[in-house]
Coordinates of all heavy atoms in Angstrom, one line a residue:
S1 N 135.6 236.7 84.5 CA 136.8 236.7 83.6 C 136.9 238.0 82.9 O 136.0 238.8 82.9 CB 136.8 235.5 82.6 OG 135.9 235.8 81.6
S2 N 138.1 238.2 82.3 CA 138.2 239.4 81.5 C 137.3 239.5 80.3 O 136.8 240.5 79.9 CB 139.7 239.6 81.0 OG 140.0 238.5 80.2
T3 N 136.9 238.3 79.8 CA 136.0 238.3 78.6 C 134.6 238.7 79.1 O 134.0 239.5 78.4 CB 135.9 236.8 78.1 OG1 137.2 236.4 77.7 CG2 135.0 236.8 76.8
V4 N 134.2 238.3 80.3 CA 132.9 238.7 80.8 C 132.9 240.2 81.0 O 132.0 240.9 80.6 CB 132.6 238.0 82.1 CG1 131.3 238.5 82.7 CG2 132.3 236.5 81.8
S5 N 134.0 240.7 81.6 CA 134.1 242.2 81.8 C 134.0 242.9 80.5 O 133.4 244.0 80.4 CB 135.4 242.4 82.6 OG 135.5 243.8 82.8
Q6 N 134.8 242.5 79.5 CA 134.8 243.1 78.2 C 133.4 243.1 77.6 O 133.0 244.1 77.0 CB 135.8 242.5 77.3 CG 137.2 242.7 77.7 CD 138.2 241.8 77.0 OE1 137.8 241.0 76.1 NE2 139.5 242.0 77.3
A7 N 132.7 242.0 77.7 CA 131.4 241.9 77.1 C 130.4 242.9 77.8 O 129.6 243.6 77.1 CB 130.8 240.5 77.2
G8 N 130.5 242.9 79.1 CA 129.7 243.9 79.8 C 130.0 245.3 79.5 O 129.1 246.1 79.3
N9 N 131.2 245.6 79.3 CA 131.6 247.0 79.0 C 131.2 247.3 77.6 O 130.8 248.5 77.3 CB 133.2 247.2 79.1 CG 133.7 247.1 80.5 OD1 132.9 247.3 81.4 ND2 134.9 246.8 80.7
L10 N 131.2 246.4 76.6 CA 130.8 246.6 75.3 C 129.3 246.9 75.3 O 128.8 247.9 74.6 CB 131.0 245.4 74.4 CG 130.5 245.5 73.0 CD1 131.1 246.6 72.2 CD2 130.7 244.2 72.3
L11 N 128.5 246.2 76.0 CA 127.0 246.4 76.0 C 126.8 247.8 76.6 O 125.9 248.6 76.2 CB 126.3 245.4 76.8 CG 126.1 244.0 76.1 CD1 125.5 243.0 77.1 CD2 125.2 244.2 74.9
E12 N 127.5 248.2 77.7 CA 127.3 249.5 78.3 C 127.7 250.6 77.4 O 127.0 251.6 77.3 CB 128.1 249.5 79.6 CG 127.5 248.7 80.7 CD 128.3 248.7 82.0 OE1 129.2 249.6 82.1 OE2 128.0 247.9 82.9
S13 N 128.7 250.4 76.6 CA 129.1 251.4 75.6 C 128.1 251.6 74.5 O 128.0 252.7 73.9 CB 130.5 251.1 75.0 OG 130.4 250.0 74.2
L14 N 127.3 250.6 74.3 CA 126.2 250.7 73.3 C 124.9 251.3 73.9 O 123.9 251.3 73.2 CB 126.0 249.3 72.7 CG 127.1 248.7 71.9 CD1 126.7 247.3 71.5 CD2 127.4 249.5 70.6
G15 N 125.0 251.7 75.1 CA 123.9 252.3 75.8 C 122.9 251.3 76.4 O 121.8 251.6 76.7
Q16 N 123.3 250.0 76.5 CA 122.5 249.0 77.1 C 123.2 248.5 78.3 O 124.4 248.1 78.3 CB 122.3 247.8 76.1 CG 121.4 248.1 74.9 CD 121.2 246.9 74.1 OE1 122.1 246.1 74.0 NE2 120.1 246.9 73.4
R17 N 122.5 248.4 79.4 CA 123.0 247.8 80.6 C 122.7 246.3 80.6 O 121.5 245.9 80.4 CB 122.3 248.5 81.8 CG 122.7 247.8 83.1 CD 124.0 248.5 83.7 NE 124.2 248.0 85.0 CZ 125.4 247.4 85.3 NH1 126.3 247.3 84.5 NH2 125.6 247.0 86.5
P18 N 123.7 245.5 80.6 CA 123.4 244.0 80.5 C 122.6 243.6 81.7 O 122.8 244.1 82.8 CB 124.8 243.4 80.4 CG 125.8 244.4 81.0 CD 125.1 245.8 80.7
P19 N 121.7 242.6 81.5 CA 121.0 242.1 82.6 C 121.9 241.3 83.6 O 123.0 240.9 83.2 CB 119.9 241.2 82.0 CG 120.5 240.8 80.6 CD 121.4 242.0 80.2
S20 N 121.4 241.1 84.7 CA 122.1 240.3 85.7 C 122.2 238.9 85.3 O 121.2 238.3 84.8 CB 121.4 240.5 87.1 OG 122.0 239.6 88.0
C21 N 123.3 238.2 85.6 CA 123.5 236.9 85.2 C 122.6 235.9 86.1 O 122.4 234.7 85.7 CB 125.0 236.5 85.4 SG 126.1 237.3 84.3
D22 N 122.1 236.4 87.2 CA 121.3 235.5 88.0 C 119.8 235.5 87.6 O 119.0 234.8 88.2 CB 121.5 235.8 89.5 CG 121.0 237.2 89.9 OD1 120.6 237.9 89.0 OD2 121.1 237.5 91.1
Q23 N 119.4 236.3 86.6 CA 118.0 236.3 86.1 C 118.0 235.8 84.7 O 118.5 236.3 83.8 CB 117.6 237.8 86.1 CG 117.6 238.4 87.5 CD 116.6 237.8 88.5 OE1 115.5 237.5 88.1 NE2 117.0 237.6 89.7
A24 N 117.3 234.6 84.6 CA 117.1 234.1 83.2 C 116.2 235.0 82.4 O 115.2 235.4 82.9 CB 116.5 232.7 83.3
A25 N 116.7 235.3 81.2 CA 115.9 236.1 80.3 C 114.5 235.4 79.9 O 113.5 236.1 79.7 CB 116.7 236.4 79.0
G26 N 114.5 234.2 79.9 CA 113.3 233.4 79.6 C 113.6 231.9 79.8 O 114.7 231.5 79.9
R27 N 112.5 231.2 80.0 CA 112.6 229.7 80.2 C 111.6 229.1 79.2 O 110.5 229.5 79.0 CB 112.2 229.3 81.6 CG 113.2 229.8 82.6 CD 113.0 229.2 84.0 NE 113.8 229.8 85.0 CZ 115.1 229.5 85.2 NH1 115.7 228.6 84.5 NH2 115.8 230.1 86.1
F28 N 112.1 228.1 78.5 CA 111.3 227.3 77.6 C 111.4 225.9 78.0 O 112.5 225.3 78.2 CB 111.8 227.5 76.1 CG 111.8 228.9 75.7 CD1 113.0 229.7 75.9 CD2 110.7 229.5 75.3 CE1 112.9 231.1 75.5 CE2 110.6 230.9 74.9 CZ 111.8 231.6 75.0
L29 N 110.2 225.3 78.2 CA 110.1 223.9 78.8 C 110.8 223.9 80.1 O 111.4 222.8 80.5 CB 110.6 222.9 77.8 CG 109.9 222.8 76.5 CD1 110.6 221.8 75.6 CD2 108.4 222.5 76.6
G30 N 110.8 225.0 80.9 CA 111.5 225.0 82.2 C 113.0 225.2 82.2 O 113.6 225.2 83.2
I31 N 113.5 225.4 81.0 CA 115.0 225.5 80.8 C 115.4 226.8 80.3 O 114.8 227.3 79.3 CB 115.6 224.4 79.9 CG1 115.2 223.0 80.4 CG2 117.1 224.5 79.8 CD1 115.5 221.8 79.5
S32 N 116.4 227.5 80.9 CA 116.8 228.8 80.5 C 117.7 228.7 79.2 O 118.1 227.6 78.8 CB 117.6 229.5 81.6 OG 118.8 228.8 81.8
F33 N 118.0 229.8 78.6 CA 118.9 229.8 77.5 C 120.3 229.2 77.8 O 120.8 228.4 77.1 CB 119.2 231.2 77.0 CG 118.0 231.9 76.4 CD1 117.6 233.2 76.8 CD2 117.3 231.3 75.4 CE1 116.5 233.8 76.2 CE2 116.2 231.9 74.8 CZ 115.8 233.1 75.2
A34 N 120.8 229.4 79.0 CA 122.0 228.8 79.5 C 121.9 227.3 79.6 O 122.8 226.5 79.2 CB 122.4 229.4 80.8
G35 N 120.7 226.9 80.0 CA 120.4 225.4 80.1 C 120.3 224.8 78.7 O 120.9 223.7 78.5
W36 N 119.7 225.5 77.8 CA 119.6 225.0 76.4 C 121.0 224.9 75.8 O 121.3 224.0 75.0 CB 118.7 225.8 75.6 CG 117.2 225.4 75.9 CD1 116.3 226.2 76.5 CD2 116.6 224.1 75.7 NE1 115.1 225.5 76.6 CE2 115.3 224.2 76.1 CE3 117.0 222.9 75.1 CZ2 114.4 223.2 76.0 CZ3 116.1 221.9 75.0 CH2 114.8 222.0 75.5
N37 N 121.9 225.9 76.2 CA 123.3 225.8 75.7 C 124.0 224.5 76.2 O 124.7 223.9 75.4 CB 124.1 227.0 76.1 CG 125.5 227.0 75.7 OD1 125.8 226.8 74.5 ND2 126.4 227.1 76.6
V38 N 123.7 224.1 77.4 CA 124.3 222.9 78.0 C 123.8 221.7 77.1 O 124.6 220.9 76.8 CB 123.9 222.7 79.5 CG1 124.4 221.4 80.0 CG2 124.5 223.9 80.3
V39 N 122.5 221.7 76.8 CA 122.0 220.5 76.0 C 122.6 220.5 74.7 O 123.1 219.4 74.2 CB 120.4 220.7 75.9 CG1 119.9 219.6 74.9 CG2 119.8 220.5 77.3
A40 N 122.7 221.6 74.0 CA 123.2 221.7 72.6 C 124.7 221.3 72.7 O 125.2 220.6 71.8 CB 123.0 223.1 72.0
A41 N 125.5 221.9 73.6 CA 126.9 221.7 73.7 C 127.2 220.2 74.0 O 128.1 219.6 73.5 CB 127.5 222.6 74.8
A42 N 126.3 219.6 74.9 CA 126.5 218.2 75.2 C 126.3 217.3 73.9 O 127.1 216.4 73.7 CB 125.5 217.7 76.3
L43 N 125.3 217.6 73.1 CA 125.1 216.8 71.9 C 126.3 217.0 70.9 O 126.8 216.1 70.3 CB 123.8 217.2 71.2 CG 122.5 216.8 72.0 CD1 121.3 217.5 71.4 CD2 122.4 215.3 72.1
L44 N 126.7 218.3 70.8 CA 127.8 218.6 69.9 C 129.1 217.9 70.4 O 130.0 217.5 69.6 CB 128.0 220.1 69.7 CG 126.8 220.7 68.9 CD1 126.8 222.2 69.0 CD2 127.0 220.3 67.4
T45 N 129.3 217.9 71.7 CA 130.5 217.2 72.3 C 130.5 215.8 72.0 O 131.5 215.2 71.6 CB 130.5 217.4 73.9 OG1 130.6 218.8 74.2 CG2 131.6 216.7 74.5
L46 N 129.3 215.1 72.1 CA 129.2 213.7 71.8 C 129.6 213.5 70.3 O 130.3 212.5 70.0 CB 127.8 213.2 72.1 CG 127.5 213.0 73.5 CD1 126.0 212.6 73.7 CD2 128.4 212.1 74.2

C-alpha cells in the first residue's frame, strides 16, 4: 500500500534500510512481533 511505501521511504531517508518483511526480527515463544500483534489485537477486538 502507499502507507507501506511511505514508511519504507521514511526509514531510507533516515539512513536505515528497512528489513525485509519476510524475515522476523525476532521470535518469542515461537511467535514473531507480527504474531504477537495478532494476539494483542484479538484481545482488544474482543
Side-chain angles (χ1 to χ4, degrees):
S1 73
S2 60
T3 306
V4 171
S5 179
Q6 291 168 359
N9 291 339
L10 175 62
L11 282 173
E12 287 177 13
S13 70
L14 294 173
Q16 293 181 328
R17 175 88 175 122
S20 175
C21 294
D22 62 0
Q23 300 295 317
R27 294 192 189 277
F28 301 95
L29 301 176
I31 302 174
S32 68
F33 292 129
W36 283 111
N37 177 54
V38 173
V39 172
L43 294 172
L44 290 165
T45 297
L46 290 174

